[in-house]
Amino acid sequence: MDRYEEYKKLLKTMMSEYRYRHSLGVADEARKLAERYGADVEKATVAGLLHDIMKDQPPKVQLQTIEDSGIILTPVEQASQKLWHAIAGAGYVRMKLGIRDPEIFDAILYHTTGRDGMSRLEKVLYVADYTSCDRQYEGVEHMRELAKISLEDAMREGLRFTIQELSGLERTIHPNTIFAYNELVCDKLRQQRDSAV
Ligand SMILES: [Fe+2]
Ligand SMILES: [Fe+2]
């Protein structure tokens, strides 16, 4: 059995059918985006497949995995249960699956918040999570169009959407999300200035 099949078998034991379909969709989308934007295709597929591995696990298990991985949560992270699966997922993949690749670790770790200075692989996974074939939110077609044109444009749109949604619900916004958004907006403004000269 190849390694993808082994991971799929494991995923089936850890998540709902709905989440399993999503994981396959994100893996497929991440592979395509990696091909388009020159990221490592195999790493993108693995990260896509495993990014939500802890999402259907009980919060207690997620927290235990985070602790076992030696990761200390900040107060904002403690208050945002939605972020735990990404942190626990990165820890699980490194600890239990023995995937030592730091790029895959970071891609899974930051797939929900984003951060500034993201690698190509991190961006690919972040965007793939929004544009995979199973996604059905309002505006998904626009996101898919953006993802065909520019990874950064799609990222900025995803971050804008997240910040708007979280602030509307009066939820915390992780500082990394703000850093990622600001960096991309600054880059865009700089490009506009440069092309106007
Ligand atoms: Fe996720
Ligand atoms: Fe996801």
Side-chain angles (χ1 to χ4, degrees):
M1 198 190 305
D2 72 16
R3 133 168 128 121
Y4 294 121
E5 290 308 314
E6 268 175 45
Y7 294 153
K8 285 187 204 168
K9 222 173 122 187
L10 174 67
L11 287 180
K12 275 193 170 170
T13 69
M14 292 182 69
M15 55 178 55
S16 65
E17 181 63 24
Y18 167 82
R19 188 84 54 210
Y20 180 69
R21 289 278 137 216
H22 169 67
S23 303
L24 296 188
V26 173
D28 192 49
E29 180 71 1
R31 182 180 52 75
K32 287 182 195 154
L33 289 174
E35 278 167 2
R36 182 183 289 267
Y37 292 109
D40 187 299
V41 172
E42 205 181 325
K43 287 184 190 181
T45 310
V46 170
L49 207 51
L50 300 175
H51 78 288
D52 274 343
I53 191 162
M54 291 300 288
K55 191 148 183 175
D56 284 348
Q57 295 297 303
K60 255 173 76 176
V61 175
Q62 294 177 352
L63 281 181
Q64 191 60 52
T65 308
I66 291 169
E67 205 185 308
D68 293 347
S69 312
I71 300 169
I72 311 285
L73 295 181
T74 65
V76 170
E77 288 162 353
Q78 279 172 16
S80 323
Q81 201 178 306
K82 267 187 138 182
L83 302 181
W84 296 354
H85 79 281
I87 304 167
Y92 184 93
V93 161
R94 187 167 63 184
M95 228 179 9
K96 304 271 186 192
L97 303 184
I99 300 176
R100 301 266 160 215
D101 188 293
E103 277 199 289
I104 294 178
F105 181 85
D106 285 341
I108 296 176
L109 184 62
Y110 297 111
H111 86 261
T112 311
T113 59
R115 63 165 171 168
D116 54 342
M118 285 170 91
S119 71
R120 201 139 283 267
L121 186 73
E122 288 171 45
K123 288 179 183 173
V124 159
L125 181 59
Y126 186 93
V127 172
D129 206 10
Y130 276 96
T131 56
S132 60
C133 60
D134 59 294
R135 290 293 201 195
Q136 287 177 343
Y137 56 90
E138 208 188 307
V140 68
E141 286 310 325
H142 177 58
M143 271 298 278
R144 289 188 179 126
E145 284 310 309
L146 285 179
K148 280 183 198 156
I149 303 163
S150 152
L151 210 45
E152 283 72 25
D153 285 356
M155 281 257 355
R156 215 173 42 248
E157 178 70 3
L159 288 159
R160 192 183 64 73
F161 178 82
T162 300
I163 291 169
Q164 222 165 25
E165 192 188 28
L166 290 174
S167 59
L169 294 167
E170 214 175 280
R171 296 255 172 84
T172 52
I173 299 171
H174 196 287
N176 283 339
T177 305
I178 307 285
F179 287 138
Y181 175 77
N182 282 344
E183 182 182 60
L184 288 161
V185 172
C186 286
D187 286 348
K188 187 183 175 186
L189 290 173
R190 197 176 314 113
Q191 277 167 17
Q192 284 172 345
R193 260 199 322 267
D194 289 350
S195 61
V197 172

